[in-house]
Amino acid sequence: MRASIFGRPRAPSAPAAPRTGTSRPDRKAFPDGVTCGAGCGKRKGFRCGYKDMMGRRCGYWCEEHSVFLNGRMWCERHANSVKWVRARDGSIYEIGSTAAIDDRSPNLVGILVDELNQEMVAHLTSCFKDHKGVYIVTDANVRTATIPKGRVDHTPDGPRVLHEAGQVAWARGWGVYSHVGYLARVVLRVTATEPPVVHVYANGLLVLSRVPDWITNRGRGSSTVRDHAAFRRAVMDAVTQVIIGVDDEE
């Protein structure tokens, strides 16, 4: 989604799935001994169309727990993943990277940016309100990313940082740009781990690493609404401490 700080309307950010003329398939009985993956016990429905990079297929889901999208049936989680990851594709079959079957990070980072969008756009708008021709864009899709890893090795000559392979992650965020290019970037990267860790970057600087509160507090009787609000507040507090703006001499 793009928003001009001068109020000109721009296209909405919600990813729109490519439309196809394929009709919804009929329900079929599951293989013997198989029931809906949602735990409802139903034995008829659809096989989720999701396949990860290792060739593993998702399971079987009843009609109530399935979603028809881009001419295929998906479970609810993978329907969201497909929506976010493939939003920029002309066809659902064009994507080169897919998350592992049990990886919820693409869906999570997509939802988090939606939840933070109003506050973050308002903050970035305030940072650049005195500059003409500046636009704010919210990424429409989720991209693959990595989180750098490294450890400190203490040697007689002093500490050395030894770099290791980065963690797989999925990213989405915001950008501020003008005719000269990008002026600022805020990005959320969510690791493909359990629990998922959200890394927040402002202009390339890591300002926060945190497991979402509602995931940390799962099973403790905590309020999901309060947990979401606490996480949004932590992200905004971290980002607002970074000086984001255009130098006066530019």
Side-chain angles (χ1 to χ4, degrees):
M1 176 183 69
R2 291 189 299 170
S4 167
I5 62 176
F6 302 104
R8 287 186 290 177
R10 311 302 268 180
S13 64
R19 295 183 178 181
T20 71
T22 307
S23 59
R24 184 187 181 98
D26 295 328
R27 293 182 302 156
K28 294 183 179 179
F30 298 156
D32 291 343
V34 176
T35 59
C36 175
C40 65
K42 294 180 181 178
R43 298 176 179 273
K44 192 173 183 180
F46 311 93
R47 179 80 183 268
C48 175
Y50 194 84
K51 181 187 292 186
D52 66 16
M53 296 295 286
M54 301 299 292
R56 295 177 297 178
R57 283 284 305 276
C58 186
Y60 295 84
W61 306 80
C62 71
E63 186 170 21
E64 182 181 354
H65 295 107
S66 296
V67 177
F68 181 60
L69 175 68
N70 285 18
R72 301 183 71 179
M73 299 302 300
W74 314 86
C75 70
E76 292 170 332
R77 171 183 287 186
H78 289 134
N80 283 325
S81 294
V82 165
K83 178 185 69 173
W84 289 120
V85 176
R86 305 184 182 188
R88 62 185 172 183
D89 297 333
S91 165
I92 199 162
Y93 304 105
E94 292 178 0
I95 189 68
S97 299
T98 54
I101 287 291
D102 55 354
D103 183 6
R104 58 176 161 173
S105 53
N107 188 32
L108 180 57
V109 72
I111 291 172
L112 289 176
V113 169
D114 270 2
E115 290 190 0
L116 284 156
N117 194 55
Q118 184 174 354
E119 292 176 86
M120 191 66 70
V121 169
H123 170 63
L124 294 173
T125 298
S126 68
C127 292
F128 291 89
K129 65 181 183 298
D130 295 328
H131 300 273
K132 298 180 179 180
V134 174
Y135 295 90
I136 299 167
V137 59
T138 304
D139 293 340
N141 62 286
V142 172
R143 299 175 175 86
T144 54
T146 57
I147 303 295
K149 291 199 302 183
R151 71 177 191 273
V152 177
D153 187 17
H154 296 279
T155 71
D157 298 323
R160 287 189 309 164
V161 177
L162 302 180
H163 293 284
E164 303 173 357
Q167 286 183 307
V168 175
W170 297 83
R172 187 183 179 214
W174 301 264
V176 181
Y177 71 95
S178 70
H179 69 283
V180 300
Y182 272 97
L183 306 175
R185 193 88 166 96
V186 177
V187 178
L188 272 59
R189 296 180 183 173
V190 179
T191 60
T193 57
E194 190 56 45
V197 181
V198 180
H199 298 265
V200 182
Y201 293 84
N203 284 350
L205 177 68
L206 178 63
V207 296
L208 180 69
S209 294
R210 181 175 175 134
V211 176
D213 297 53
W214 60 94
I215 295 176
T216 300
N217 295 329
R218 186 186 294 121
R220 299 179 182 176
S222 179
S223 166
T224 301
V225 173
R226 283 200 302 270
D227 286 344
H228 277 259
F231 183 79
R232 290 196 303 271
R233 185 166 58 251
V235 172
M236 293 306 304
D237 286 347
V239 171
T240 54
Q241 291 181 37
V242 178
I243 298 176
I244 297 179
V246 181
D247 295 338
D248 292 337
E249 59 189 41
E250 289 185 350

